[in-house]
Amino acid sequence: MPGYPFRRPVAAVATLAALLPLAACSQASDAEQGGPTTITLSMQNPDVKTADPATWAIVEAFESANPDVDVEVSGQPVAEHLQSLSIAAQSDTLPDVFWVYKSNAEEMLAGDRLLDLQPILEEQGVIDSLPATTVEYFTSDGTVFGVPYQGLLTGLWTNTQVLSDHGLSTPTTFDELLQVAETLADEDVVTISNGASQSAFSVWQFLVWLDRFGFEEKMDGLLDGSESWENPDFVRMYEHIAELRDAGAFSSNVSTQTYQQAVDQFLQGEAAFLDAGVWAAGAIQDSEVAPDTTFWKGPTFSDGVGEQNIIMNVASAPLVVAKKVGEDEAKLDAVERFLGFYYSDEAQQLMVDNGQPPVTTYEPELDEKEQSVLKSALDAAREEGVSTPGTQPDLVFPVAVSNAIYDSIYGVIQDQLTPEEAAALVQRALDAE
């Protein structure tokens, strides 16, 4: 489940302690003369090998093909990672390559701490293989400051057997989803499996809903303060979440259930839908519900705003490169080769083999039997007529605002906030920024 934040910042002492891995990374460039060149890769997972097998596989394959380069991988939970990076940026001790939120990256770029990647991407032939919208999204004032770490392809994993057992089929509209929820609630079956405990970020389906209520058109105004989150369209979206809640769509323990427990609930056949993304494909594939699982982009809304036939299939937070890398010829060469490999067809296939969609225009090879779950998600993304937004709504804001968005959605799901209060919560966070 890459790329999603813990909700609360860590204490200052913990933050200073968390700097140690980054400090070690900054010293690792002093490789012994004649030995391999070391580049540091700092990620948002404390155990990259286990939690992010796609990245780990790419690193191993790169090192195998480039024995003169050693990629030193480290990681921390998101909140600690971001705070460590913020302090490291101030002292110019950033890792060589690292994962970071777009908003944080733009702050580092303004502070002259990031390398312009356009020459590297052109030299390595990468830029033409990335979607133009992705390159544009990670460009500021003519500088390409980042490249997509992984893709965010999210939706509702659907257990068609649970639906058919109750005389139901996969809905297409919100009204149909509401009817499904009412029917399943009468049978004590969870409609959508979510978990708020320690995982308030796990509201991906409802972030897509924001786009179906005009987020893209409102985004610039929300960022510059000319538009309010308390607009009637967003309030109406929250009202639909409340309708689902009142229909009994969510688990009674949604407030104490974690994301992983929500996944387990779906894997055990106890829910019709799971709110997640492609990162859950592997676990589903290995479970008994795999033969009955398909991927659904979520409901359309008759009272929505703008395009409804959309799927969230966008670039996640970026990988960026510290500007100081450009001052070390050997290190710069190693980073150039690493990025060239990361976005090669070989590495993109490794992503797919480890349950992630490619972030380039590469057409992957899929085993229809062994990767049927992932294939259903990729097929949904390629469905004729479907479009994608430019980004996931929470990724364009500072962490405090993103957290407020998550809290607003779960606040309505748990009947702790009215739709109007939910919208006001996010607006207060925007005002504070």
Side-chain angles (χ1 to χ4, degrees):
M1 186 184 54
Y4 297 95
F6 292 98
R7 294 176 56 245
R8 302 292 178 236
V10 294
V13 172
T15 300
L16 292 174
L19 282 173
L20 293 177
L22 293 183
C25 288
S26 67
Q27 297 168 3
S29 60
D30 297 329
E32 294 181 4
Q33 293 295 324
T37 299
T38 297
I39 59 174
T40 54
L41 176 65
S42 183
M43 303 299 291
Q44 81 291 10
N45 286 306
D47 182 358
V48 176
K49 182 177 181 178
T50 301
D52 188 1
T55 296
W56 192 262
I58 290 174
V59 168
E60 286 196 316
F62 171 77
E63 289 182 327
S64 178
N66 297 268
D68 60 327
V69 179
D70 176 40
V71 182
E72 185 175 291
V73 182
S74 64
Q76 299 167 281
V78 172
E80 297 172 27
H81 177 74
L82 292 175
Q83 291 187 31
S84 298
L85 291 174
S86 178
I87 296 176
Q90 296 174 31
S91 58
D92 199 18
T93 56
L94 287 166
D96 299 327
V97 184
F98 56 96
W99 178 99
V100 69
Y101 273 4
K102 178 176 182 281
S103 58
N104 299 88
E106 289 173 327
E107 291 177 3
M108 293 177 185
L109 181 65
D112 199 30
R113 292 295 191 237
L114 298 185
L115 191 68
D116 182 359
L117 300 182
Q118 185 160 348
I120 293 177
L121 300 181
E122 291 178 345
E123 173 70 22
Q124 295 293 323
V126 169
I127 203 159
D128 291 336
S129 68
L130 295 172
T133 52
T134 298
V135 177
E136 180 182 355
Y137 184 58
F138 294 134
T139 300
S140 179
D141 295 329
T143 299
V144 180
F145 62 85
V147 280
Y149 149 63
Q150 285 178 0
L152 274 176
L153 174 51
T154 67
L156 291 171
W157 293 104
T158 306
N159 188 323
T160 57
Q161 187 63 52
V162 169
L163 293 176
S164 63
D165 284 347
H166 296 87
L168 301 167
S169 58
T170 303
T172 57
T173 68
F174 173 76
D175 290 339
E176 291 171 355
L177 176 60
L178 194 61
Q179 292 172 1
V180 166
E182 292 169 348
T183 299
L184 292 179
D186 288 341
E187 301 295 328
D188 293 325
V189 176
V190 173
T191 300
I192 302 177
S193 190
N194 285 90
S197 179
Q198 303 175 42
S199 47
F201 51 82
S202 59
V203 288
W204 301 284
Q205 176 58 199
F206 305 104
L207 296 174
V208 182
W209 286 22
L210 281 168
D211 280 301
R212 294 191 177 116
F213 281 86
F215 176 82
E216 288 244 303
E217 294 79 6
K218 298 175 176 67
M219 181 173 66
D220 289 343
L222 292 166
L223 289 168
D224 67 22
S226 61
E227 175 69 82
S228 171
W229 198 274
E230 295 177 87
N231 66 80
D233 298 326
F234 286 3
V235 171
R236 198 162 63 253
M237 182 208 72
Y238 286 116
E239 288 172 347
H240 287 313
I241 297 175
E243 286 181 78
L244 271 184
R245 176 202 67 212
D246 293 342
F250 305 103
S251 175
S252 60
N253 68 337
V254 66
S255 61
T256 58
Q257 182 167 260
T258 65
Y259 165 75
Q260 187 56 54
Q261 289 170 327
V263 173
D264 293 341
Q265 186 176 59
F266 181 80
L267 298 182
Q268 293 162 11
E270 297 173 358
F273 303 97
L274 170 66
D275 185 357
V278 289
W279 54 86
I284 297 172
Q285 191 72 61
D286 293 337
S287 75
E288 294 182 358
V289 302
D292 304 312
T293 299
T294 60
F295 190 85
W296 179 38
K297 60 182 178 292
T300 60
F301 295 84
S302 59
D303 60 348
V305 177
E307 179 62 49
Q308 297 294 300
N309 188 21
I310 58 175
I311 192 167
M312 189 62 72
N313 183 23
V314 300
S316 180
L319 292 176
V320 300
V321 178
K323 187 174 181 179
K324 61 183 176 62
V325 167
E327 301 169 3
D328 185 323
E329 185 176 346
K331 193 180 289 287
L332 178 61
D333 174 70
V335 167
E336 287 179 347
R337 282 188 279 155
F338 177 72
L339 292 181
F341 182 82
Y342 193 98
Y343 298 99
S344 68
D345 289 352
E346 179 183 349
Q348 294 303 297
Q349 183 62 47
L350 286 172
M351 277 196 180
V352 174
D353 292 344
N354 285 277
Q356 295 292 333
V359 295
T360 69
T361 55
Y362 170 67
E363 291 290 335
E365 298 177 6
L366 284 167
D367 185 311
E368 294 194 10
K369 180 179 179 182
E370 298 298 325
Q371 295 174 290
S372 61
V373 175
L374 177 61
K375 184 177 184 301
S376 70
L378 297 182
D379 287 347
R382 296 171 183 154
E383 190 177 290
E384 186 176 356
V386 71
S387 61
T388 62
T391 184
Q392 187 169 275
D394 59 324
L395 295 181
V396 304
F397 299 108
V399 174
V401 177
S402 299
N403 285 339
I405 296 172
Y406 312 143
D407 289 345
S408 72
I409 293 169
Y410 265 126
V412 175
I413 288 175
Q414 298 174 79
D415 203 11
Q416 297 173 343
L417 297 173
T418 66
E420 293 78 12
E421 290 170 341
L425 176 69
V426 182
Q427 186 56 47
R428 286 196 297 273
L430 284 169
D431 292 340
E433 293 294 331

